[in-house]
Amino acid sequence: LKQTKFIEFLSINDLTNKYLTCLLYYFQYKLENENVSFFHIIILLILSKFTTNIGQLMQLNEKIKESFPTDYKIHPNTLSDLIIEILTNIIFFDLEGLYLNQIFSLISVIISNISCMSSNISIFSAKRIIIFLKKVHENKEILKDDYNIIFERIIISLFEL
């Protein structure tokens, strides 16, 4: 199955919301129980692919239909809010290590993609993006060459929202 056919299948069968919610649940579950891992990178890669598809981006403005049974209490209104909240939860964990550049870079791409089509983002999500931006700035030395790209991407996203 090609990736685009899978994405089309989810969209046609109204499964995007359910699929992304499951991915985000697993992302949060692994974060709460095992800290940051390679699985987080894989999920971020999947989400970055999903958020490049216009049809999928339009569905991110839908209200959340699925429950989210984790220890962490979520505040989302739409699927865009859920994505932003869960992905930015990672900044509250110990990020020293191998994956920092990849995580920050992928999250900034996803937020940038979402910002171009999001029509109803919550105040909570906007605050989370600003906190993420602050964390990126605090890690300027570690991010080195990626810092400017990530920082600019998030600043532009804030203006698009």
Side-chain angles (χ1 to χ4, degrees):
L1 254 179
K2 286 186 172 180
Q3 295 165 346
T4 54
K5 288 191 181 207
F6 179 67
I7 292 173
E8 287 173 16
F9 170 80
L10 291 174
S11 186
I12 290 168
N13 293 295
D14 197 27
L15 295 171
T16 300
N17 205 322
K18 193 175 289 262
Y19 180 75
L20 292 178
T21 303
C22 288
L23 277 178
L24 293 167
Y25 170 73
Y26 188 69
F27 188 93
Q28 182 65 30
Y29 174 81
K30 292 290 273 184
L31 197 58
E32 290 174 4
N33 294 290
E34 297 176 23
N35 212 337
V36 180
S37 70
F38 182 68
F39 286 106
H40 291 96
I41 301 293
I42 293 171
I43 292 170
L44 289 170
L45 286 167
I46 293 168
L47 289 171
S48 69
K49 177 66 177 167
F50 261 85
T51 58
T52 58
N53 181 293
I54 296 291
Q56 300 301 327
L57 283 170
M58 296 302 288
Q59 292 184 12
L60 297 183
N61 289 316
E62 293 177 8
K63 299 279 186 198
I64 293 185
K65 301 171 189 169
E66 311 301 322
S67 61
F68 206 79
T70 62
D71 294 339
Y72 177 77
K73 182 188 176 307
I74 59 168
H75 306 88
N77 181 28
T78 64
L79 195 50
S80 292
D81 288 325
L82 180 64
I83 291 170
I84 291 168
E85 182 171 350
I86 296 303
L87 296 187
T88 56
N89 278 345
I90 206 165
I91 64 176
F92 299 110
F93 288 81
D94 179 19
L95 289 176
E96 292 179 27
L98 214 41
Y99 305 120
L100 186 66
N101 282 36
Q102 295 92 338
I103 288 170
F104 279 18
S105 198
L106 286 167
I107 290 173
S108 71
V109 164
I110 294 164
I111 290 171
S112 178
N113 291 345
I114 288 172
S115 70
C116 69
M117 296 299 279
S118 186
S119 61
N120 190 21
I121 195 164
S122 70
I123 297 294
F124 185 85
S125 292
K127 286 181 185 177
R128 276 301 186 89
I129 293 170
I130 292 170
I131 292 169
F132 176 71
L133 185 64
K134 181 180 178 212
K135 192 74 166 180
V136 166
H137 185 68
E138 288 171 0
N139 288 285
K140 184 178 182 176
E141 297 303 314
I142 297 169
L143 294 171
K144 296 180 183 158
D145 296 336
D146 294 333
Y147 170 77
N148 287 335
I149 295 167
I150 295 169
F151 197 83
E152 287 170 12
R153 203 179 280 142
I154 295 299
I155 291 292
I156 291 168
S157 296
L158 284 169
F159 284 102
E160 290 179 333
L161 294 170

